[in-house]
């Protein structure tokens, strides 16, 4: 081949290669062009976000504060709920046992809802379920078991030279389950000898060889102290150890035991021991209750059977408040971010008019909000830890301490920060959509009038639908009772609050029409300016009113619902109380012989013992299976006359005798559709299912409980069948003081018994105030109400910061500082009055439905409480408006140019 030919061929090859590179370069340039476009969008968005953050620092500080507070609140509740889910009662009595065999305290109910598959619900029984004593030998025969001990606990009172003290009677064989060791003396060898816990010996001044008196369920008896025992830790109730035979006789249930403590053989693991016991033991403990083998931290459930029931009661309440918190937090974030974005409508419209694309603007707003909300969410997540620990300390109750594993605070804070950070960006982008979606020519017009018009049709329709739904839910609550009415009222309040947020501009227009004339009349030039400003900016005024409505409605519902129930229950209990004296005793309860002794005292016309327990009712609610726990009173029917009057409306309480009868509250009877002569199926405190004949209906169920049973019907199904109170009515002509002295003489043999004037709290089915109720008030009203007040300050501060151009313009046209400041005061007053009025109305609708359906009366909120709320809202509104306007005159009120 010649060089020419070779050169020609080479030139052709080079040309073909060039053509190929050119062809492939077209696609490459297109790809690079798309990437460059995306890069340019991101770069422009990042530039706009950086400049905007610097230019709107004060506005974003309000958003930062609200977002951080929302993150802290959500994280704190996540920490508390997680801690409650992990809670287990402490292990004390069985600290030395490797496993504990106990009966299942949980009861279930399965039913088929309408058009759905069967559902099962469960709850915990209020009284201890005992095991058949034959299971002790079966547990001892299981592989890997070194020792199995029957354990019964009998509450008693110990008296000695140092005074009287409560204790727990146990068998000496069960001392190994704690464990105890003898520090002095020897084990009890007869029915007249006892071994005292070291702390109990010190409290009563007893020592080995001395004498003590024990009061169990009768008159006190004297015992010899054969020894003193010490345990390896100080927690728990002090114990008195007796022989097993004598303790079984005192316990009064020889065929059953509280639990079986198991000590494993050497080298046997907890899992192997559990498996061995489960194979050796039957499926049923006593009756229809199952058998549970507890190891590790679960052993505490055997000594505190009511602890998980306490958790079961707390969880729904806390879950309801947590749901409200989540709704409030998201509503505050959405309101604050929307206002921040809407205040920049003119700026966004101008950018759109000069060529910024919708994508660039949305990306810029999203980046800006993400940076602010992300930093705030992280700070709030850190702040959630101390707030959650504070709330946890309020809820921690004996015997259910709330644990805080190392990972839980981090998980709660991270979850809250993630939720808030992820929710912020779409809210801001959605708020900016009405401006970023305009054509450049239309945006130019919007830039000259940045205040948006009326809310969109979708928002208005959604708000109207929610308002109608809220009123409808309130109407539904009036036709229901109990928990169903409470849930319907809560749903009504939530719907109405969200409706107010959506319909804020329309509500602001109505508020201006009503309050504008008084503002103009009271303020002169400043009033004229305030009324005109409110009338021209309905969206802004609505955004200012919404957080005030939120805090007023939420706090009123939380406080008034509880106070309405408390007032009605107090009134009913006071009306039902006919006794003038009451006998109370030690924590263990009154001995069985106390009530007969009181009846035999001079000047006593009637005396009835009051035994407290609980029952479980299985029923359907809207088709779904429900298990409700109710506290109940056990009374002596022939002694009720003059001591306790539940106001019978049908039937006769004289028939409330034996073990197969029950009296039912009127409202509960209506819900169950029963009357005198019908039967009601209940589960007693230990899970025993009974069919009881209704003998009477009564009216005062809020004070005395939904059900009332004969004392003998409850006595065999409670952990300790002892009266908590004995109600006494003095005979005609006998003074209360003379009767009290006679009763004291009749009860002189009993330790720790007191006689005093009777009060309504002695017969109320639940105490007028409990630690849990107080904690829920502090958490529900204090924490969430404080957050809502912070939202008021943040939102109003944000609005005030956004009004800088307006203030400057007013100063330029001749308005003085005092006039502008007075205008702000009048506007703040208008916003506060409108928010208080609308918030009160929003709360009144569900509260009225709840109060009428449950108590038959109007809602009740102490005037002082409402006054404090109104003052707090007024101060928050003033701080949110006047403080940013007064700090740095050049910034807010401006100088006259």
């Amino acid at each position: 081949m010649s060089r020419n030919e070779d050169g020609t061929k080479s030139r052709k090859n080079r040309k073909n290669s060039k053509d190929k590179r050119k062809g492939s370069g077209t696609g490459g340039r297109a790809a690079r062009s798309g990437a460059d476009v995306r890069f340019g969008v991101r770069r422009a968005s990042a530039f706009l976000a950086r400049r905007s953050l610097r230019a709107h620092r004060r506005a974003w500080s309000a958003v930062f504060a609200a977002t951080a507070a929302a993150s802290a609140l959500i994280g704190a509740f996540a920490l508390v709920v997680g801690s409650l889910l992990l809670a287990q009662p402490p292990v004390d009595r069985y600290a030395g046992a490797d496993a504990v065999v106990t009966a299942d305290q949980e009861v279930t109910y399965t039913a088929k809802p309408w058009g759905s598959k069967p559902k099962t619900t469960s709850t915990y029984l209020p009284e201890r379920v005992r095991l058949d004593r034959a299971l002790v030998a079966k547990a001892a025969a299981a592989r890997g078991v070194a020792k199995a001990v029957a354990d019964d606990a009998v509450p008693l009172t110990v008296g000695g030279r140092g005074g009287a003290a409560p204790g727990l009677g146990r068998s000496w064989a069960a001392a190994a389950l704690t464990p105890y060791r003898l520090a002095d003396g020897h084990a009890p060898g007869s029915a007249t000898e006892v071994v005292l816990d070291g702390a109990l010996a010190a409290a009563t001044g007893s020592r080995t060889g001395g004498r003590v008196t024990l009061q169990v369920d009768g008159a006190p008896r004297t015992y010899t102290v054969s020894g003193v025992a010490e345990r390896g830790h100080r927690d728990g109730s002090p114990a008195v150890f007796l022989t097993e035979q004598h303790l079984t006789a005192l316990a009064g249930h020889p065929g059953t035991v509280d639990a079986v403590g198991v000590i494993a053989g050497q080298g046997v693991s907890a899992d192997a021991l559990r498996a061995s016991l489960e194979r050796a033991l039957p499926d049923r403990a006593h009756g229809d209750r199952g058998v549970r083998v507890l190891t590790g931290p679960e052993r505490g459930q055997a000594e505190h059977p009511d602890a998980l029931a306490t958790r079961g009661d707390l969880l729904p309440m806390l879950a309801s408040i947590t749901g409200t918190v989540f709704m409030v937090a998201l509503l505050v974030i959405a309101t604050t971010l929307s206002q921040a974005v809407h205040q920049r409508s003119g700026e966004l419209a101008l950018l759109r008019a000069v060529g910024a694309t919708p994508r660039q603007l949305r990306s810029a707003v999203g980046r800006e909000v993400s940076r602010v909300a992300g930093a705030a969410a992280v700070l709030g997540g850190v702040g959630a830890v101390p707030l959650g620990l504070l709330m946890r300390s309020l809820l921690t109750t004996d015997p259910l301490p709330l644990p805080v594993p190392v990972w839980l605070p981090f998980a709660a804070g991270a979850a809250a920060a993630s939720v808030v950070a992820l929710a912020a960006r779409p809210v801001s982008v959605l708020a900016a959509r009405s401006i970023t979606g305009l054509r450049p020519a239309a945006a130019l017009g919007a830039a000259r009038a940045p205040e948006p018009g009326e809310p969109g049709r979708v928002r208005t329709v959604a708000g109207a639908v929610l308002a109608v739904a809220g009123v409808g839910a309130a109407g539904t609550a009036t036709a229901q009772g109990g928990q169903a009415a409470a849930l319907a009222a809560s749903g009504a309040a939530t719907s109405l609050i969200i409706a107010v947020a959506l319909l804020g501009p329309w509500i602001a227009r109505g508020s201006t029409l009503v309050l504008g004339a008084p503002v103009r009349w009271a303020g002169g030039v400043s009033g004229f300016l305030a009324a005109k400003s409110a009338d021209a900016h309905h969206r802004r005024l609505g955004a200012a009113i919404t957080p005030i409505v939120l805090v007023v409605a939420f706090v009123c519902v939380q406080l008034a619902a509880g106070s309405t129930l408390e007032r009605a229950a107090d009134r009913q209990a006071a009306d039902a109380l006919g006794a003038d004296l009451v006998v109370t005793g030690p924590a263990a309860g009154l001995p069985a012989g106390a009530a007969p002794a009181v009846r035999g005292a001079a000047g006593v016309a009637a005396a009835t013992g009051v035994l407290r327990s609980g029952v479980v009712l299985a029923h359907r609610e809207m088709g779904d299976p429900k298990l409700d726990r109710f506290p109940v009173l056990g009374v002596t029917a022939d002694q009720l006359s003059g001591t306790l009057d539940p106001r019978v409306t049908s039937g006769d309480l004289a028939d409330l005798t034996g073990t197969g009868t029950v009296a039912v509250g009127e409202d509960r009877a209506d819900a169950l559709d029963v009357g005198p002569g019908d039967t009601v199926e209940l589960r007693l405190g230990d899970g025993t299912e009974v069919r009881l004949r209704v003998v009477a209906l009564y009216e005062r169920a809020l004070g005395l409980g939904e059900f009332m049973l004969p004392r003998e019907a409850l006595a065999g199904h409670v952990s300790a069948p002892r009266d908590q109170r004995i109600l006494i009515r003095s005979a005609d002509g006998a003074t209360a003081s003379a009767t009290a002295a006679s009763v004291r003489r009749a009860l002189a043999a009993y330790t720790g018994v007191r006689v005093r004037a009777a009060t309504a709290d002695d017969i109320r089915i639940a105490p007028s105030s409990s630690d849990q109720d107080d904690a829920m008030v502090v958490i529900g009203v204090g924490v969430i109400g404080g957050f809502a007040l912070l939202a008021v300050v943040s939102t109003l501060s944000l609005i005030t910061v956004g009004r800088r151009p307006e203030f400057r313009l007013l100063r330029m046209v001749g308005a003085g500082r005092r006039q502008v400041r007075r205008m702000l005061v009048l506007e703040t007053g208008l916003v506060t009055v409108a928010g208080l009025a609308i918030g009160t109305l929003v709360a009144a609708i569900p509260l009225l439905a709840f109060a009428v359906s449950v108590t038959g009366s109007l809602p009740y909120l102490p005037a002082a409480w409402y006054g404090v709320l109104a003052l707090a809202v007024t101060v928050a509104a003033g701080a949110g408006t006047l403080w940013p306007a007064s700090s740095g005159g050049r910034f807010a009120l401006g100088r006259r140019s």
Side-chain angles (χ1 to χ4, degrees):
M1 181 181 296
S2 66
R3 180 176 297 181
N4 186 36
E5 292 175 348
D6 179 68
T8 303
K9 187 173 183 179
S10 298
R11 285 194 298 271
K12 290 181 179 179
N13 290 338
R14 286 195 297 269
K15 183 178 180 182
N16 291 337
S17 299
K18 186 176 180 180
D19 292 341
K20 288 179 181 179
R21 286 195 303 269
K22 184 176 179 180
S24 63
T26 304
R29 282 196 299 273
R32 285 196 301 272
S33 176
D36 291 342
V37 169
R38 289 191 294 271
F39 176 74
V41 169
R42 289 195 297 269
R43 188 173 180 181
S45 301
F47 172 78
L48 291 174
R50 285 195 304 270
R51 295 299 297 269
S52 180
L53 278 174
R54 286 196 295 268
H56 301 285
R57 289 192 302 271
R58 293 182 180 272
W60 285 121
S61 63
V63 175
F64 185 92
T67 308
S71 178
L73 198 63
I74 293 174
F77 273 88
L79 190 152
V80 174
V81 172
S83 182
L84 189 58
L85 288 171
L86 297 173
Q88 289 284 353
V91 181
D92 168 57
R93 184 167 146 193
Y94 299 116
D98 296 294
V100 182
V101 181
T102 185
D104 190 3
Q105 288 287 140
E106 196 171 14
V107 61
T108 61
Y109 172 52
T110 301
K112 185 177 181 181
W114 303 325
S116 179
K117 296 180 180 180
K119 293 183 179 180
T120 299
T121 186
S122 63
T123 190
Y124 289 94
L125 295 167
E127 303 287 352
R128 178 183 290 279
V129 183
R130 294 190 170 95
L131 294 166
D132 195 306
R133 190 172 289 271
L135 296 184
V136 180
K138 293 182 179 180
R143 182 185 298 273
V145 174
K147 187 178 183 180
V149 180
D151 188 39
D152 286 315
V154 179
L156 47 77
T157 303
V158 184
R161 292 180 302 169
L168 204 62
R170 300 176 65 190
S171 70
W172 177 246
L177 303 177
T178 303
Y180 277 89
R181 60 176 181 80
L182 273 174
D184 187 27
H186 60 85
S190 67
T192 60
E193 291 183 335
V194 296
V195 170
L196 294 183
D197 181 290
L200 198 55
T204 58
S206 304
R207 61 179 183 272
T208 303
R211 308 280 285 178
V212 295
T213 59
L214 300 185
Q215 179 178 287
V216 184
D217 199 18
R221 293 178 56 184
T222 303
Y223 293 80
T224 300
V225 180
S226 66
V228 176
E230 299 287 351
R231 53 182 165 180
H233 52 88
R234 298 181 180 179
D235 298 331
S237 301
V240 178
F241 295 101
L242 305 95
T243 63
E244 187 166 4
Q245 294 80 5
H246 187 45
L247 180 75
T248 300
L250 292 178
H253 49 87
T256 58
V257 296
D258 288 353
V260 179
V262 178
I263 298 177
Q266 188 172 3
V268 179
S269 66
D271 292 339
L273 181 63
R274 179 197 291 267
S276 174
L277 288 169
E278 288 176 345
R279 287 193 300 268
L281 295 174
D283 293 335
R284 298 295 171 188
H286 183 69
D288 62 345
R289 312 287 345 128
V291 174
R292 297 187 65 202
V293 179
L294 308 175
T295 58
E298 293 179 336
R299 292 170 296 168
Q301 299 176 22
E303 51 189 292
H304 302 289
D306 57 334
L308 293 184
T310 301
R311 187 178 73 176
D313 292 337
L314 276 176
L315 270 175
M317 291 189 291
L318 196 59
S320 175
I321 295 179
T322 303
T324 303
V325 165
F326 196 74
M327 182 272 294
V328 169
L330 292 184
L331 187 60
V332 167
I333 292 173
T335 301
T336 309
L337 285 175
S338 297
Q339 181 61 29
V341 172
H342 281 304
Q343 284 185 179
R344 296 173 50 200
S345 296
E347 174 186 327
L348 295 174
L350 183 59
L351 289 172
R352 181 73 181 104
V354 298
T357 66
R359 184 177 180 182
Q360 286 175 325
L361 293 179
R362 287 195 295 269
S363 179
V365 171
R367 284 173 178 268
E368 199 173 343
V369 169
S370 295
R371 292 179 182 180
V372 174
V378 171
L379 179 63
V382 174
V385 177
L387 180 60
L389 294 177
L390 174 63
M391 292 165 53
R392 166 189 167 275
S393 67
L394 295 174
L395 281 176
T396 298
T397 56
D398 186 51
L400 192 66
L402 303 183
V404 183
V406 175
W407 57 268
L408 183 58
F410 297 100
S418 301
V419 168
V420 171
L422 291 175
R425 180 160 184 157
V427 169
S428 61
V429 172
L430 186 63
R433 190 178 186 87
S434 59
I435 296 297
T436 59
L438 294 175
R439 294 193 304 272
L444 186 61
R448 299 193 185 100
E451 173 70 16
E454 301 299 347
R457 181 177 299 176
V458 174
R459 176 176 172 177
T460 302
V461 171
V465 170
L466 284 173
V468 173
V471 175
T476 302
T478 59
Q480 297 175 335
Q483 187 69 17
L487 290 175
S490 177
T494 302
S495 297
L496 290 172
I497 289 174
I498 299 176
V500 167
L502 294 174
L503 298 176
W506 296 107
I507 293 173
R509 180 186 290 274
S511 301
T512 304
L513 291 176
V514 174
L515 299 175
V519 168
R520 283 193 297 270
W521 176 79
V525 174
S526 298
F528 173 80
L529 292 175
K532 285 296 183 181
S533 176
D535 189 52
H537 302 282
H538 293 144
R539 181 186 290 273
R540 186 178 71 196
L541 186 63
I545 291 174
T546 297
I548 297 179
V549 171
L550 174 65
V551 65
V552 172
F554 177 79
V555 173
C556 283
V557 168
Q558 292 294 319
L559 291 179
S563 61
T564 300
L565 281 177
E566 288 290 328
R567 188 188 192 199
D570 284 340
R571 184 175 62 247
Q572 290 188 9
D575 293 341
L577 181 65
D580 51 357
L581 295 172
V582 63
V583 177
T584 63
L590 293 164
V598 169
R599 294 189 187 106
V604 175
T608 179
V610 178
L611 178 64
R612 295 182 181 271
S613 184
V615 297
V616 177
L617 173 67
H619 65 106
R620 295 191 184 193
E621 194 171 277
M622 303 297 291
D624 291 330
K626 296 290 181 182
L627 281 173
D628 290 332
R629 291 164 28 112
F630 296 103
V632 295
L633 299 179
V635 296
T636 306
D638 60 0
Q639 297 291 314
L640 283 179
S641 178
T643 59
L644 192 65
D645 178 19
R647 185 174 283 181
V648 174
T649 58
S650 180
D652 190 354
L653 277 181
D655 297 330
L656 192 65
T657 58
T659 58
T661 59
V662 65
V664 186
E666 251 188 345
D667 292 340
R668 180 59 53 183
D670 288 342
L672 297 176
D673 193 22
V674 297
D678 296 328
T679 59
V680 173
E681 294 186 10
L682 295 175
R683 290 173 171 86
L684 299 180
D686 63 350
T688 303
E689 296 187 25
V690 292
R691 291 177 61 88
L692 304 176
R693 180 172 57 88
V694 179
V695 298
L697 305 183
Y698 56 90
E699 185 177 306
R700 294 167 177 158
L702 282 178
L704 304 179
E706 303 284 357
F707 302 96
M708 192 180 298
L709 281 78
R711 187 189 185 283
E712 55 266 34
L714 293 179
H717 304 278
V718 296
S719 301
R722 301 182 188 177
D723 295 329
Q724 280 72 40
R725 298 284 190 273
I726 299 176
L727 303 176
I728 303 171
R729 180 173 64 87
S730 300
D732 294 339
T735 63
S737 58
T739 304
S742 173
V743 171
R744 289 190 185 97
R745 289 192 296 270
L747 298 175
Y750 298 99
T751 303
V753 176
R754 295 176 298 278
V755 183
R756 59 171 174 78
T759 64
D761 281 341
D762 292 318
I763 61 171
R764 268 199 61 170
I765 195 62
S768 56
S769 179
S770 66
D771 293 340
Q772 291 182 10
D773 294 336
D774 294 341
M776 287 298 176
V777 169
V778 172
I779 291 173
V781 176
V783 178
I784 306 176
F787 168 71
L789 287 175
L790 178 62
V792 172
V793 176
S794 299
T795 303
L796 293 179
S797 298
L798 177 63
I799 292 173
T800 303
V801 169
R803 296 177 66 184
R804 285 180 294 176
E806 177 185 339
F807 297 151
R808 290 177 185 143
L809 180 61
L810 288 173
R811 294 286 286 134
M812 288 174 61
V813 298
R817 282 182 183 278
R818 292 184 179 180
Q819 288 178 323
V820 176
R821 186 176 292 110
R822 191 178 182 191
M823 177 194 76
L824 285 176
V825 171
L826 291 172
E827 284 189 32
T828 303
L830 187 152
V831 168
T832 303
V833 171
L836 285 170
I838 297 168
T840 304
L841 177 62
V842 168
I845 294 173
L847 282 174
L848 182 63
F850 172 74
V852 169
S853 62
V854 176
T855 68
S857 62
L858 295 177
Y860 171 71
L861 180 66
W865 293 5
Y866 188 84
V868 171
L869 172 62
L871 178 62
V873 168
T874 303
V875 170
T881 303
L882 302 179
W883 178 71
S886 300
S887 59
R890 186 176 181 183
F891 146 62
L893 299 184
R895 293 179 180 175
R896 196 173 288 172
S897 299

